């Protein structure tokens, strides 16, 4: 295997260009096979480090993903290392409690909708718009690494996340 003279990336022997930086190899630039290959690059400093293992996702990204349906929220509460992270746990619990509260609200409005169907059409539209705005707000706040608490469910989520 050959290495790029510019960035040190390993590449095929017959490659004309480096797949990482795009520079021409010695064969493509006309230098021929007489050029010695560059030295093997040193391994990254993270090899053999004794630091704590890193998570595949940053905690603000995981907190943001917790609001994309209830499935990621449940998964983050079940798998390591997210189920030990207070920030991710808070956003996962807040998502679950918010979805539960919205389901209760929609069932109550459905019961009212049987009695007053024409009045409920604009209310359903406003409710959908409010849910979308709330979802967008929660996603943005989680991405900004803020523990934005909703009035009732935020307190419940904070108690669950801190336990």
């Amino acid at each position: 295997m050959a290495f790029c003279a510019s960035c040190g990336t390993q590449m095929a022997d017959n490659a004309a260009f480096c797949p990482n930086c795009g520079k021409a190899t010695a064969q493509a630039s006309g230098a021929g096979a007489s050029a010695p290959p560059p030295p093997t690059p040193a391994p990254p400093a993270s090899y053999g480090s004794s630091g704590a293992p890193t998570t595949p996702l940053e905690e603000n990204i995981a907190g943001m993903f917790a609001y994309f349906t209830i499935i990621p929220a449940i998964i983050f509460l079940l798998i390591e290392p997210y189920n030990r992270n207070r920030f991710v746990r808070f956003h996962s619990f807040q998502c679950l409690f918010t979805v539960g509260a919205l389901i209760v609200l929609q069932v109550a409005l459905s019961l009212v909708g049987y009695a007053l169907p024409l009045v409920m059409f604009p209310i359903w539209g406003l409710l959908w718009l409010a849910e979308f705005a709330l979802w967008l707000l929660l996603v943005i706040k989680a991405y900004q690494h803020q523990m934005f608490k909703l009035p009732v469910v935020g307190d419940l989520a904070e108690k669950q996340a801190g336990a």
Side-chain angles (χ1 to χ4, degrees):
M1 297 298 288
F3 293 93
C4 175
S6 177
C7 68
T9 301
Q10 188 175 7
M11 56 188 188
D13 290 331
N14 59 353
F17 296 95
C18 174
N20 186 34
C21 67
K23 299 230 176 178
T25 61
Q27 296 108 357
S29 62
S34 62
T40 305
S46 64
Y47 287 173
S49 67
S50 61
T54 60
T55 59
L57 291 174
E58 296 293 326
E59 71 177 8
N60 65 328
I61 302 295
M64 180 185 76
F65 281 154
Y67 291 107
F68 287 81
T69 73
I70 63 170
I71 296 169
I74 293 170
I75 290 172
F76 287 143
L77 290 173
L78 294 177
I79 62 172
E80 297 273 339
Y82 303 109
N83 61 358
R84 293 178 300 180
N85 186 315
R86 185 174 185 271
F87 183 80
V88 176
R89 286 174 50 88
F90 168 77
H91 286 290
S92 297
F93 278 120
Q94 183 162 273
C95 172
L96 294 174
F97 293 150
T98 303
V99 167
L102 289 174
I103 288 173
V104 168
L105 177 65
Q106 289 178 355
V107 167
L109 287 177
S110 293
L111 295 175
V112 173
Y114 286 123
L116 306 167
L118 293 178
V119 175
M120 291 307 293
F121 285 126
I123 292 175
W124 282 112
L126 289 174
L127 180 63
W128 181 86
L129 189 62
E131 287 177 6
F132 179 74
L134 178 66
W135 173 79
L136 195 60
L137 174 72
L138 291 172
V139 167
I140 290 170
K141 291 295 185 179
Y143 182 72
Q144 292 174 344
H145 213 276
Q146 296 178 9
M147 289 183 68
F148 182 77
K149 287 187 346 180
L150 294 175
V152 175
V153 297
D155 294 331
L156 294 171
E158 189 174 39
K159 286 179 187 175
Q160 289 295 319

